[in-house]
């Protein structure tokens, strides 16, 4: 099995275990909004947001690298 898949699976399990241990309700304020939610939900949303941002950043950087390589090939 691929090492990256195993690593991601282990890290995801550890993250879920961490989230499951933090279930008390907290109040979160951001600018003019205030919301009460469980700490587990806040951590989970933060992890998902970080994953999505990382995924899009990687896709964008890969796109730019490929575009630059195509541009270099065409201009030779």
């Amino acid at each position: 099995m691929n090492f990256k898949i195993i690593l991601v699976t282990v890290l995801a399990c550890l993250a879920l275990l961490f989230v499951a241990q933090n279930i008390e309700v907290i109040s979160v304020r951001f600018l003019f909004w205030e919301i009460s939610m469980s700490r587990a939900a806040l951590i989970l949303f933060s992890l998902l947001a970080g994953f999505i941002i990382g995924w899009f950043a990687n896709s964008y950087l890969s796109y730019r690298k490929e575009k630059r390589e195509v541009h270099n090939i065409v201009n030779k």
Side-chain angles (χ1 to χ4, degrees):
M1 192 177 253
N2 192 353
F3 176 73
K4 288 183 182 180
I5 293 173
I6 294 172
L7 182 63
V8 168
T9 303
V10 169
L11 289 175
C13 289
L14 288 174
L16 288 175
L17 179 65
F18 179 77
V19 168
Q21 292 178 347
N22 292 287
I23 57 173
E24 58 268 2
V25 175
I26 60 170
S27 180
V28 178
R29 289 187 296 190
F30 180 70
L31 297 177
F32 304 108
W33 299 285
E34 182 172 351
I35 187 168
S36 295
M37 62 183 352
S38 71
R39 185 179 292 170
L42 177 64
I43 294 169
L44 183 61
F45 289 142
S46 299
L47 285 170
L48 288 174
F51 177 77
I52 291 169
I53 290 169
W55 185 280
F56 282 122
N58 183 38
S59 297
Y60 176 71
L61 292 175
S62 296
Y63 168 75
R64 285 188 56 194
K65 181 180 177 184
E66 184 178 315
K67 186 177 177 183
R68 190 176 326 123
E69 288 173 356
V70 169
H71 180 72
N72 288 339
I73 291 171
V74 170
N75 288 334
K76 282 188 177 182

